[in-house]
Amino acid sequence: MFTTRPDEIGKLIEAIDPIRYAKTRNYLDGAVTRLSPYISRGVISTRQVAKAVLSKGYTPHEAESFFQELAWRDYFQQVWIALGDKIDTDIRQAQSNVRSHEVPVNLITPTTGINAVDEGIQQLYKTGYMHNHMRMYVASMACHVAQCHWLLPARWMYYQLLDADWASNALSWQWVAGSFSNKKYVANQENINRYCHTQQYDTFLDVPYEAFDQLPIPQILKETTLPSLKTSLPEARPLVIDASRPVYLYNFYNLDVHWDEHLAVNRVLLLEPSFFEHYPVCNRTLQFVHDLAANIPGIQLYVGEFQELQHTYKNEFHFKEHPTNRHYQGIEHPREWMFPHLTGYFPSFFAYWKKSRRLLHELS
């Protein structure tokens, strides 16, 4: 379902229609780009995608809705940079009405009885993909109907996603839960029917929005569990390193095939067990990483901690900035942002977007 060939990824970028996207993106069959796995893995950047859209002749105004969605991703990354591991906790205020810190069993199975949601989760298990609107439906059901705290359900979803990006995932869940927003997001059956093209009625979600504050937990969502989330890493193998050349480090968030591609350097994909203990992903996602990394000429795989790598090889290390590799030592390279000078913590996305809109002309 998701290619790992650079030429085909390029075709996906060329196929973007920002006007159709704006009109249909909330529908499950809408004109979404499905580029998020490649942005999350650092194969392409938000700036690269935005500039490609403008190069096709669209104006910033015509593509504004699309650029706004790209900006959400950069915004979440800036929050992660500013707050670090604090994004694993309720940021603005505590999530209300929490009765469990686990995940509903019938959400995991999935047998909630809400047909569109169950099918969406089945698709996630099969393909590693879930439409963004469906993610909001699942989060709303977990947080506000089953009254589970957002953190573990968010980890469960992240585990399955090809576009697993902890900032986008955790902060989106917090936005739905109301711990990183002024109000919580809820979705009823009417909303689901509209955007999923279903005609289901008489469910526990077939209620008006004002009923959610007093909505009893449905029996089908009462049982909860701690899902087993573990990453199976390949066996460690020794590297063949040229001691006279620097080592360029790639990882889960950086698989940029074009990174200083003109230089003759050692290129190493670093998979740290400690990273995957904290941010576990399923075998499908890990295979996706391997397949994308295979596009990088001469890359070698190292399974182990950075400190072990540094102790064994005395080369100069180069890496791209990211909140998960602050323990790396060497020469840090910047990531490519849609707006490189728009950095720091903004209390809300719309404060960030207000400044972003003024900079759209820079992309032309």
Side-chain angles (χ1 to χ4, degrees):
M1 186 175 184
F2 286 92
T3 182
T4 55
R5 291 179 51 180
D7 59 329
E8 293 180 353
I9 296 170
K11 291 178 182 178
L12 291 175
I13 297 174
E14 293 174 8
I16 296 171
D17 183 337
I19 296 176
R20 282 189 63 226
Y21 173 88
K23 293 178 179 179
T24 66
R25 67 181 180 86
N26 284 331
Y27 292 89
L28 257 60
D29 59 352
V32 295
T33 68
R34 302 199 177 188
L35 288 173
S36 59
Y38 312 111
I39 297 175
S40 297
R41 301 286 67 78
V43 176
I44 58 178
S45 70
T46 51
R47 185 177 182 85
Q48 177 185 348
V49 174
K51 288 176 72 69
V53 168
L54 288 174
S55 72
K56 295 169 65 176
Y58 294 105
T59 66
H61 176 72
E62 289 174 322
E64 183 170 326
S65 178
F66 179 70
F67 291 152
Q68 189 176 46
E69 292 307 306
L70 287 178
W72 269 105
R73 183 169 294 274
D74 278 9
Y75 169 67
F76 284 149
Q77 287 293 314
Q78 289 294 336
V79 173
W80 199 6
I81 290 171
L83 300 186
D85 288 344
K86 288 183 180 178
I87 69 168
D88 295 357
T89 62
D90 296 354
I91 294 175
R92 284 194 186 173
Q93 59 266 332
Q95 179 183 332
S96 61
N97 300 324
V98 174
R99 59 101 186 182
S100 172
H101 287 261
E102 298 183 342
V103 187
V105 170
N106 290 77
L107 200 62
I108 293 175
T109 24
T111 50
T112 68
I114 306 299
N115 295 339
V117 171
D118 291 343
E119 290 172 8
I121 297 171
Q122 288 170 356
Q123 182 188 49
L124 173 64
Y125 289 158
K126 183 178 180 181
T127 67
Y129 171 77
M130 180 177 278
H131 188 283
N132 187 62
H133 213 168
M134 180 57 66
R135 299 183 199 201
M136 295 168 65
Y137 292 153
V138 172
S140 173
M141 187 182 297
C143 296
H144 305 311
V145 183
Q147 296 180 12
C148 294
H149 188 264
W150 64 268
L151 180 59
L152 192 60
R155 288 192 180 280
W156 157 73
M157 180 177 286
Y158 172 95
Y159 180 80
Q160 299 290 343
L161 290 166
L162 289 184
D163 67 5
D165 177 327
W166 183 241
S168 293
N169 194 63
L171 296 172
S172 293
W173 274 79
Q174 288 217 49
W175 187 85
V176 170
S179 57
F180 188 47
S181 57
N182 294 326
K183 61 180 181 179
K184 58 189 181 183
Y185 170 86
V186 294
N188 64 9
Q189 188 68 57
E190 181 183 9
N191 186 293
I192 293 172
N193 285 344
R194 177 183 178 187
Y195 291 106
C196 300
H197 304 298
T198 54
Q199 294 183 334
Q200 191 175 13
Y201 304 98
D202 298 324
T203 70
F204 58 79
L205 289 180
D206 199 7
V207 295
Y209 281 111
E210 55 269 22
F212 272 83
D213 286 338
Q214 303 298 324
L215 194 67
I217 301 173
Q219 187 63 38
I220 202 167
L221 295 181
K222 285 186 176 180
E223 184 182 357
T224 60
T225 187
L226 291 169
S228 177
L229 307 176
K230 295 182 180 180
T231 301
S232 299
L233 293 174
E235 292 184 8
R237 295 180 179 179
L239 301 174
V240 178
I241 295 295
D242 185 337
S244 67
R245 295 175 177 175
V247 174
Y248 272 46
L249 289 179
Y250 298 77
N251 55 33
F252 189 70
Y253 285 107
N254 172 31
L255 297 173
D256 180 5
V257 69
H258 298 299
W259 182 29
D260 284 352
E261 60 186 334
H262 62 287
L263 298 180
V265 300
N266 301 288
R267 300 186 188 272
V268 174
L269 172 59
L270 175 60
L271 302 182
E272 294 185 288
S274 61
F275 171 87
F276 290 100
E277 286 175 11
H278 192 68
Y279 304 104
V281 295
C282 67
N283 292 339
R284 183 198 319 103
T285 301
L286 197 62
Q287 186 61 53
F288 186 65
V289 168
H290 283 295
D291 293 343
L292 288 171
N295 295 312
I296 302 169
I299 196 164
Q300 300 180 68
L301 174 65
Y302 186 85
V303 179
E305 302 300 322
F306 172 78
Q307 290 80 3
E308 299 167 357
L309 182 66
Q310 185 183 40
H311 179 75
T312 305
Y313 304 97
K314 307 304 180 182
N315 304 58
E316 178 182 81
F317 290 93
H318 292 245
F319 55 91
K320 287 195 178 186
E321 174 275 325
H322 196 271
T324 60
N325 59 26
R326 286 173 173 163
H327 59 292
Y328 289 9
Q329 295 178 12
I331 298 177
E332 182 181 81
H333 296 233
R335 283 185 278 170
E336 187 173 63
W337 303 90
M338 204 154 76
F339 307 110
H341 303 297
L342 190 59
T343 59
Y345 179 76
F346 289 79
S348 72
F349 169 75
F350 295 103
Y352 178 83
W353 177 243
K354 186 177 180 181
K355 292 198 172 184
S356 299
R357 287 187 67 190
R358 298 172 186 167
L359 300 173
L360 286 174
H361 67 279
E362 294 183 359
L363 295 169
S364 302

